[in-house]
Amino acid sequence: MRRLLTVLLVGSLLCLLMAPSAADALPYASVGYKLYHYEDGSWVRYKQGDPLPPGGATPGTNLWKYNYWVSNLTAPTGIYQVYVYFNSDNVLRSAYSSATGPTGWTLLYFPPVAPNNNWKERFRTSNSAYYVMPGDTLPGYEVQFTWVDGSLLPTPQNYDVAWSGGSEPGNTTEMPPDMTPVEAATWGRMKGLFK
């Protein structure tokens, strides 16, 4: 009997530990990014897994930028504030250059506090007409920076988004490659095969 009771107690405990918790809930927001390196007068897209380009971490040729898309997946009200964090591990890899935001959003750069290397950019709006409303995605957030780590490409980052009554941290996710329109890429060739 004692053995049966022990097995039941352990089984119940395991079931409780495996049950979904609040941490397993669906995310409220997502911040997607595309990474670009400035080369020969234009921005060239790089994806995670690509090699670091020549000059990608050399002063004078090491200007990079992230373009961000903020999505309100399930937040009950509009997102009004977004932070993106750089050098979160406190290793000097990047330095702030500039930032731009969507219409109606203000920007604030928080520099590193010595001896630390971490810094952040805040995008914020006080006008509800510019909130990222539930179900919407808003592009137009951009941070330019110089990259000094010659061993790897700039990586996904930590972020924090806020809405009335709540906030959520997360990690940025890479946006998929731009799609080539089917008509221009293949349809014309397919039609040509059946003439």
Side-chain angles (χ1 to χ4, degrees):
M1 183 69 169
R2 182 180 273 179
R3 176 177 266 166
L4 179 62
L5 189 56
T6 303
V7 168
L8 288 174
L9 186 59
V10 170
S12 298
L13 181 60
L14 285 174
C15 287
L16 284 174
L17 291 174
M18 292 174 22
S21 66
D24 295 331
L26 291 174
Y28 286 106
S30 174
V31 178
Y33 74 88
K34 289 183 181 179
L35 175 67
Y36 297 88
H37 180 231
Y38 194 69
E39 299 174 6
D40 299 322
S42 62
W43 291 102
V44 178
R45 170 122 191 242
Y46 281 82
K47 295 178 283 309
Q48 292 303 311
D50 289 345
L52 185 69
T58 305
T61 58
N62 61 342
L63 184 61
W64 292 81
K65 74 174 178 178
Y66 280 114
N67 284 351
Y68 301 103
W69 284 257
V70 176
S71 298
N72 184 340
L73 304 175
T74 59
T77 59
I79 292 170
Y80 69 89
Q81 181 171 272
V82 179
Y83 283 96
V84 286
Y85 300 93
F86 291 77
N87 303 334
S88 292
D89 58 1
N90 207 25
V91 174
L92 179 59
R93 291 191 170 96
S94 65
Y96 176 81
S97 183
S98 67
T100 58
T103 301
W105 290 69
T106 60
L107 301 107
L108 186 58
Y109 162 64
F110 292 86
V113 176
N116 298 314
N117 296 304
N118 53 340
W119 56 276
K120 61 188 170 190
E121 180 70 32
R122 183 188 76 187
F123 301 91
R124 184 181 181 137
T125 184
S126 57
N127 184 336
S128 61
Y130 298 115
Y131 286 7
V132 186
M133 297 308 290
D136 288 345
T137 296
L138 183 63
Y141 307 86
E142 178 183 294
V143 178
Q144 292 185 22
F145 56 96
T146 54
W147 187 249
V148 297
D149 186 338
S151 65
L152 71 154
L153 282 177
T155 58
Q157 304 164 269
N158 298 327
Y159 71 80
D160 189 64
V161 297
W163 58 89
S164 175
S167 68
E168 178 180 65
N171 292 310
T172 58
T173 56
E174 187 171 30
M175 300 288 285
D178 296 327
M179 300 300 291
T180 304
V182 172
E183 176 72 26
T186 58
W187 186 241
R189 280 181 270 162
M190 287 178 62
K191 286 192 293 190
L193 291 173
F194 295 101
K195 281 188 175 183

